[in-house]
Amino acid sequence: MTTPKRILATEAAKETIDTLRTRLGTELMFHQSGGCCDGSSPMCFEKGDFKVGSQDVWLGTVHGCDFFMSADQFEYWKYSELTLDITPGRGSSFSLEIPMGIRFLIRSRLFSMEEYEALPPTQNGEEFLSLP
Amino acid sequence: MDTLTYAKSPAVDRPLIKEKYEHFIGGQWVAPASGEYFDNISPIDGKAFSKAARGNKEDIEKALDAAHEAFKTWSKSPAAERSRVLNKIADVIEDNLELLARIETIDNGKALRETRAADLPLCVDHFRYFAGVIRADESTISEHDEHTVSIALHEPLGVVGQIIPWNFPLLMAVWKIAPALAAGCCTVVKPAEQTPTSIMVLMELIADIVPAGVINVVTGFGPEAGKPLATSSRVAKVAFTGETTTGRLIMQYASENLIPVTMELGGKSPNIFMKSVADADDEFFDKAVEGAVMFALNQGEVCTCPSRILVHEDIYDRFMERVIARTKAIKLGHPLAEDTMMGAQASNDQFEKILSYLEIGKQEGAEVLAGGAKASLNSGLENGYYIQPTIFKGNNKMRIFQEEIFGPVTCVTTFKTTEEAIAIANDTMYGLGAGLWSRDAHELYQVPRAIQAGRVWVNCYHAYPAHAPFGGYKKSGFGRENHAMMLNHYRQTKNMLISYSKQKLGFF
């Protein structure tokens, strides 16, 4: 079994990341949001625009972008394999793809116990930032 | 073909809506600096019905210029004058209630019976409440000794930024605009990009009533118009309703400017049904059943949606049988039809997200007691965003019990003891709303006190009268809207410490 990843992306999501990178000329990051209106959705920002810290968990990189969520939310999400996808739609929030008339979306699948146990350890945002 | 059978009722006529709306800045209609407009899609049928101006930093700066100019006089205007303006706005909304209710339904997708009976009447009352509050509002004075007096006088913060969600486009704007104006602030409002039209129709109606620049509305996308507003060094405060990540981001921006914020950030509200609820099959039992089905109000797109039903195990069968039957009786249909009970979700991405949660619930092993899929309507509604009201049975550790779905989806679980009910209720990141249903006088006080939420409805749910403070505990935010105490989130205190003594201190 290859080492499972917590966060994957569909081809459509990867293309959107590439488009945004080219258009904005900058690296990107994601932070998974919690509740309300546009919540429970992944937010895409310029790298470093959203400040992560000890209460965030770094899930890994997706198509070269760091992906975070808050630690208490991760408690309920840690058993899920997440796939970043794209859907047409008029979202709000400060997520960078919104002017394109599309929205990043998370699709979820529960890990098998074997996969879950093979997952690499996560880091919190503070540990992540202190990496060389 | 429809997956739900319903008798089709004719939709009421659509009012004439302009082809496009510019920004409302300084009392004028101002074309966007970019020259661009974007389509506003109605969730009813997935079709564009108007266009909104695509605002950017330049437009936000223009709006801030106008607001700062207006602040010079508005901040010094008598309370009686501010009150008069607020009352006039209320009158205009009341006189145009049917028009605004229909446009709100087209903009948001919610059923007309809700915009007529809830959204718009609450807007009217909210302005009247704050018009009244500032006439009775007083600052304080204290005499420290016979020669020393301290005056603690309220002063408006200045020009504020207000970012509005799409679930109650007019009402949430009014919750923010009314206290800000009452306090003497001027505002730059950024509506949600899904619902930018109804507020512009309101601005058309009140343009002659509100002094130029006191209310400015700039439409556009979050990254292009919302961010310049939230990061501006020219706003004295930012008020936001939305989700946690954007809330944190706005607080980060505010920290750079050292300005206050208020945040209303959603929830996963428990609705608790104690054993005594089923002591009799009477009017109250019927009310409690309706209370559980309130998850479908506004298609579940409410921060306080009662999305977790906690029911005592002894009454589970009797109670849930009724709740399921009542849920299945919800009539989906054209949002502009007068007998439609539940309309469309507000946008396609929300629709897709809700469907993804229906899948997650099934994967987690939750049992579908009602609904569980999209609702395919026909007769021109094929491309609208309709979802069947859904009840899952499961446990509180499941993601569907912990994450805000923001759709017509509730999850039910049982408890054995009051302690267990409280523990489950509080086992969540959020603390916005909660419901407690009981016939026991002790429980009616003790259980709400033990629930970590800013609003606990006791033997009722989803009432939002002005005069009852509303806001969150835990990760649901802070600040209390809907109440006089919101005034102080738009004011600061000027303390004048006055000596009436002619004697020097003798230090120097």
Side-chain angles (χ1 to χ4, degrees), chain A residues 92-119:
Chain A
S92 51
S93 86
F94 291 8
S95 198
L96 291 169
E97 80 285 8
I98 281 171
M100 299 164 69
I102 53 175
R103 188 75 186 87
F104 283 112
L105 175 82
I106 285 290
R107 307 214 180 264
S108 303
R109 176 185 75 85
L110 290 179
F111 287 119
S112 69
M113 194 45 84
E114 190 190 3
E115 287 172 321
Y116 182 71
E117 284 168 358
L119 281 166

Side-chain angles (χ1 to χ4, degrees), chain B residues 342-486:
Chain B
M342 205 181 90
Q345 307 306 137
S347 62
N348 183 57
D349 56 310
Q350 288 299 317
F351 175 74
E352 290 290 335
K353 187 180 75 185
I354 296 162
L355 293 180
S356 82
Y357 272 98
L358 298 182
E359 279 310 304
I360 289 170
K362 289 168 192 169
Q363 278 183 33
E364 288 181 306
E367 184 187 346
V368 178
L369 301 181
K374 66 179 178 182
S376 304
L377 305 186
N378 59 18
S379 311
L381 306 181
E382 292 83 353
N383 295 319
Y385 316 130
Y386 299 89
I387 289 183
Q388 297 176 30
T390 296
I391 306 176
F392 278 117
K393 186 183 184 194
N395 71 70
N396 201 55
K397 294 296 177 195
M398 290 176 168
R399 281 183 57 187
I400 51 168
F401 276 78
Q402 291 293 332
E403 293 161 29
E404 186 160 13
I405 298 169
F406 226 65
V409 182
T410 194
C411 304
V412 59
T413 191
T414 57
F415 62 87
K416 290 182 171 64
T417 63
T418 305
E419 292 70 28
E420 190 188 5
I422 292 167
I424 296 171
N426 289 336
D427 179 16
T428 168
M429 285 161 58
Y430 303 106
L432 191 58
L436 185 273
W437 299 79
S438 172
R439 299 176 198 255
D440 181 311
H442 300 280
E443 286 173 355
L444 287 176
Y445 187 75
Q446 289 158 355
V447 177
R449 288 297 310 276
I451 296 172
Q452 294 153 5
R455 160 69 60 82
V456 184
W457 281 282
V458 180
N459 288 342
C460 60
Y461 208 97
H462 266 339
Y464 299 91
H467 209 165
F470 178 85
Y473 282 22
K474 294 158 77 176
K475 291 210 168 171
S476 294
F478 39 82
R480 291 292 178 270
E481 298 191 297
N482 250 330
H483 192 267
M485 59 181 75
M486 198 63 199

Side-chain angles (χ1 to χ4, degrees), chain A residues 8-126:
Chain A
L8 307 167
T10 62
E11 285 307 312
K14 288 177 187 171
E15 280 170 28
T16 304
I17 290 171
D18 287 337
T19 304
L20 286 169
R21 269 198 194 118
T22 308
R23 184 178 300 172
L24 301 168
T26 177
E27 287 302 312
L28 306 173
M29 65 178 289
F30 287 89
H31 193 276
Q32 175 69 33
S33 186
C36 214
C37 313
D38 296 279
S40 308
S41 293
M43 300 295 176
C44 177
F45 302 122
E46 291 184 20
K47 185 175 181 172
D49 195 26
F50 185 94
K51 292 172 180 60
V52 295
S54 60
Q55 297 308 311
D56 295 295
V57 174
W58 177 74
L59 275 70
T61 58
V62 56
H63 200 50
C65 308
D66 294 310
F67 193 103
F68 301 88
M69 77 170 65
S70 71
D72 44 10
Q73 196 171 337
F74 181 68
E75 273 305 297
Y76 296 97
W77 288 60
K78 61 186 177 188
Y79 306 108
S80 296
E81 178 195 78
L82 308 178
T83 302
L84 191 65
D85 196 5
I86 281 287
T87 179
R90 176 71 71 221
S92 51
S93 86
F94 291 8
S95 198
L96 291 169
E97 80 285 8
I98 281 171
M100 299 164 69
I102 53 175
R103 188 75 186 87
F104 283 112
L105 175 82
I106 285 290
R107 307 214 180 264
S108 303
R109 176 185 75 85
L110 290 179
F111 287 119
S112 69
M113 194 45 84
E114 190 190 3
E115 287 172 321
Y116 182 71
E117 284 168 358
L119 281 166
T122 57
Q123 297 161 336
N124 74 37
E126 202 168 26

